[in-house]
Amino acid sequence: MPELNKNPILTANSKDLQAELEWFGKVLDARLKLFFRHEGASPDIYSTVPPDIKKSGSNWAALLKEYNAGFAERVALVLALIPYIQPGLLDVLLIKNSGYDRFYTEFGGLSGTRHRGFIPTGETLLFILGSENLEQRFSAQQLFHPDHFLVKNRILRLEKTAPIESPLSGALTMYEGWVASLTHGVQFKPHFGQDFPAEQVKTALDWSQLVLHESTWKQVEEIQTWIEHGHKLFSDWQMTGKIHPGLRVLFYGPPGTGKTLTATLLGKATNREVNRVDLSLVVSKYIGETEKNLSNVFSHAEKQNWILFFDEADALFGKRTETKSSHDRYANQEVAYLLQRLETFEGITILASNLKDNLDNAFTRRFESIIYFPMPGVEERTSIWKNGIPAKARLAAGVSLEDIGRKYEMSGGAIMNAIRTACLAALKDGSGKLTMEMILWGIRKEMEKEGRG
């Protein structure tokens, strides 16, 4: 077998996690000896000292140091990781109670569909940390409080259970992004699809190739200023609690006027990943699924500092008609949840719509910035034509881009489509020249799309 290239982070993670697993094994052993009242058992599991990670450069150590994780947090973290890295360590909890011929209720745990080992639950964690001591169990339950760093930062979660079951009987799991970071040392991103309806958008263009109206430019620059310097309002100017840390922006205007490109360039200019949320996947016909589909996106966006871009936002946030059925009521509840989630999101959210009037007024009031992207005027259209023609293309005699820009009212997107059509015709012709006939053919195709042919 060929030798694999050594990864310093992977090596550091492996070393620290191996030590952490050995420590956890001692903690679990101490708890079981206490539970079964073995002679000579340690009087307290908390006397088992965890590994020293002060000088370590692993991702595991960085996480523990950043949040000043204590004994209980370290037990919770390694317990959630064990099914991914050393599942056999929990086989000791598969022992049966001989008096009842069944597994111990105290240990919690689940059996997976294919996983043959012990899947820890919230009850498993409480057993290890507190066993039958109610005070210690109640204290351990604070690890699942929404304000605790393990929950707030989307590190650990308890899977949902049936309504009649205790939430603590849900599987204790770690978000996939953290598993990848703490083991392989890489950034993880779920695959685009129904469960994760967002994908990154990129562009090879820069600001010099974007043509916008002057007033639109000014407002876009304000957004970039916020992204680049907004954190100083909180860290240096102490505005925490006085203004919302996030930013919600609405771009509205006709199709092809630069809304998507502007959002993408804002991310590129500020070194942030822009992820476009596909609302056709978000809006589900199944009640309750819309909230589930988006929660995973927001979790990743908060951790990775993404800009979220919702295109055609009126598909989800449009004006609501009278509630006529139980499904309508659920739909309104889901939108209400999403509005609340957008308000608590501390990152940058950009929503785009063709018509501002299509959006519910209760929704638009929540925006810090509303920017109109109008159809380009004569000067903007002429500039788009000039910037859009490839450097290698030659204009045939008699072609005036100024005249074309003045005569044909088109969006920037439509102009670029017309240029593409004309360029392909020139390449097919073999001359490399863009004739007026080729350009007009491209324009005519775009007009027909809009019903103006």
Side-chain angles (χ1 to χ4, degrees), residues 199-249:
E199 60 182 342
Q200 186 177 4
V201 289
K202 299 180 181 180
T203 181
L205 304 179
D206 56 37
W207 287 124
S208 66
Q209 295 162 291
L210 177 65
V211 179
L212 297 175
H213 190 275
E214 184 179 352
S215 62
T216 305
W217 262 121
K218 184 176 181 180
Q219 294 178 83
V220 169
E221 287 174 348
E222 291 175 353
I223 303 301
Q224 183 171 343
T225 299
W226 168 269
I227 297 174
E228 293 176 338
H229 303 289
H231 66 281
K232 294 180 181 178
L233 289 176
F234 304 98
S235 61
D236 297 344
W237 291 21
Q238 300 179 348
M239 291 292 284
T240 302
K242 297 180 180 179
I243 59 175
H244 192 281
L247 185 68
R248 291 162 296 276
V249 182

Side-chain angles (χ1 to χ4, degrees), residues 421-445:
T421 298
C423 288
L424 288 173
L427 288 171
K428 181 180 179 181
D429 177 74
S431 66
K433 286 186 178 182
L434 295 178
T435 66
M436 194 64 184
E437 182 180 6
M438 294 172 182
I439 293 174
L440 289 176
W441 168 238
I443 292 173
R444 190 177 304 115
K445 284 183 63 178

Side-chain angles (χ1 to χ4, degrees), residues 389-410:
I389 299 293
K392 289 189 176 182
R394 292 174 293 149
L395 295 178
V399 175
S400 170
L401 297 180
E402 288 81 1
D403 290 343
I404 294 172
R406 187 182 309 109
K407 185 175 181 180
Y408 298 99
E409 295 183 9
M410 303 170 66

Side-chain angles (χ1 to χ4, degrees), residues 42-283:
S42 172
D44 186 359
I45 68 166
Y46 294 92
S47 62
T48 309
V49 181
D52 185 0
I53 46 83
K54 291 187 180 69
K55 297 181 180 180
S56 174
S58 71
N59 288 3
W60 175 258
L63 170 63
L64 300 183
K65 287 185 281 190
E66 179 179 358
Y67 296 108
N68 194 26
F71 187 100
E73 285 87 0
R74 290 177 75 158
V75 170
L77 286 164
V78 74
L79 179 62
L81 259 181
I82 283 175
Y84 296 95
I85 59 177
Q86 200 173 81
L89 189 57
L90 299 178
D91 283 354
V92 65
L93 296 175
L94 291 171
I95 186 174
K96 282 190 174 182
N97 185 329
S98 59
Y100 299 99
D101 192 31
R102 68 178 189 182
F103 297 112
Y104 282 88
T105 303
E106 293 91 336
F107 298 171
L110 298 170
S111 297
T113 305
R114 298 182 180 178
H115 182 80
R116 296 184 180 182
F118 182 96
I119 299 176
T121 62
E123 284 289 355
T124 309
L125 179 61
L126 265 58
F127 166 73
I128 295 172
L129 293 176
S131 187
E132 299 167 308
N133 185 311
L134 285 182
E135 183 177 355
Q136 290 181 344
R137 289 175 66 88
F138 292 159
S139 178
Q141 286 185 33
Q142 296 303 307
L143 298 174
F144 303 116
H145 191 279
D147 289 334
H148 194 283
F149 82 85
L150 291 173
V151 178
K152 187 176 181 179
N153 294 284
R154 306 300 195 277
I155 302 172
L156 298 184
R157 68 175 180 270
L158 289 177
E159 298 290 352
K160 288 185 178 181
T161 60
I164 61 172
E165 296 178 347
S166 165
L168 293 169
S169 65
L172 176 67
T173 59
M174 179 176 287
Y175 284 92
E176 291 176 303
W178 282 103
V179 174
S181 174
L182 297 176
T183 56
H184 302 91
V186 297
Q187 180 178 326
F188 171 84
K189 182 177 179 180
H191 296 295
F192 173 73
Q194 184 74 45
D195 295 331
F196 193 79
E199 60 182 342
Q200 186 177 4
V201 289
K202 299 180 181 180
T203 181
L205 304 179
D206 56 37
W207 287 124
S208 66
Q209 295 162 291
L210 177 65
V211 179
L212 297 175
H213 190 275
E214 184 179 352
S215 62
T216 305
W217 262 121
K218 184 176 181 180
Q219 294 178 83
V220 169
E221 287 174 348
E222 291 175 353
I223 303 301
Q224 183 171 343
T225 299
W226 168 269
I227 297 174
E228 293 176 338
H229 303 289
H231 66 281
K232 294 180 181 178
L233 289 176
F234 304 98
S235 61
D236 297 344
W237 291 21
Q238 300 179 348
M239 291 292 284
T240 302
K242 297 180 180 179
I243 59 175
H244 192 281
L247 185 68
R248 291 162 296 276
V249 182
L250 173 65
F251 290 171
Y252 76 99
T257 50
K259 299 185 292 293
T260 300
L261 180 56
T262 299
T264 309
L265 286 173
L266 279 169
K268 185 177 182 179
T270 57
N271 198 29
R272 294 194 183 208
E273 186 173 320
V274 179
N275 278 265
R276 176 166 50 195
V277 180
D278 188 334
L279 292 176
S280 66
L281 292 178
V282 171
V283 183

